[in-house]
Amino acid sequence: MTPKENETDIDNLVKLLDGFAAGEEGRLKVKVTDTLEEGEVEKVHHLGRCDIGSPYATGECFDAPLGDCDR
């Protein structure tokens, strides 16, 4: 990675953080991945502070008899 590429990455991260700080949300989790294209951002919304990835957040049936989950 060249110093210019590194500087661009830092600038992009600062823009992301500035945009977040100007918004209404209370928490941010930044995760670096190779599965998204360069510059692509994926935002995951959740309904509370503890439900990311939980069955409740993903809409999976988890607290009813199996027959009820098929509806």
Side-chain angles (χ1 to χ4, degrees), residues 13-30:
L13 183 58
V14 169
K15 287 178 187 175
L16 175 75
L17 295 172
D18 284 345
F20 175 78
E24 298 280 323
E25 298 172 271
R27 297 210 177 180
L28 172 72
K29 179 178 183 178
V30 176

Side-chain angles (χ1 to χ4, degrees), residues 24-59:
E24 298 280 323
E25 298 172 271
R27 297 210 177 180
L28 172 72
K29 179 178 183 178
V30 176
K31 188 173 167 183
V32 178
T33 181
D34 291 332
T35 60
L36 298 176
E37 295 295 321
E38 184 174 332
E40 186 178 359
V41 175
E42 181 179 78
K43 184 175 181 178
V44 178
H45 176 77
H46 61 95
L47 301 173
R49 301 270 190 228
C50 303
D51 70 345
I52 293 179
S54 74
Y56 179 76
T58 58

